[in-house]
Amino acid sequence: GHLEQATHIPHTEIGDRIGEVTTQKDAKIIVYCRVGGRAGLAKSTLEGLGYTNVENGGGYDDVVQRFQQQ
């Protein structure tokens, strides 16, 4: 699943496609996947490209619970 406000980009494509979402290097970006492992890879890729405000939200269930509480 995915959050309604999320943009689905596979971790293998994040470096090439992040510009579809933002080019602002300080934009808040929360990455997540099924359990958090691929999100960690995506976070590392984005940080390597100079993005400074990237958070690994963990797994899908984690982010759903987090955003339902807000």
Side-chain angles (χ1 to χ4, degrees):
H2 70 276
L3 299 176
E4 185 175 320
Q5 65 272 34
T7 301
H8 177 257
I9 301 176
H11 76 283
T12 56
E13 299 174 15
I14 193 80
D16 293 329
R17 295 186 50 203
I18 189 60
E20 297 172 17
V21 179
T22 187
T23 57
Q24 295 178 13
K25 299 292 183 171
D26 63 345
K28 178 68 174 178
I29 301 171
I30 301 172
V31 293
Y32 66 93
C33 60
R34 184 168 182 215
V35 294
R38 288 168 292 175
L41 296 172
K43 180 180 187 289
S44 294
T45 298
L46 292 172
E47 289 173 338
L49 292 171
Y51 288 85
T52 59
N53 196 8
V54 183
E55 176 186 337
N56 182 344
Y60 173 72
D61 291 339
D62 299 322
V63 294
V64 167
Q65 183 177 25
R66 175 180 169 182
F67 285 97
Q68 285 178 345
Q69 293 176 356
Q70 291 183 355

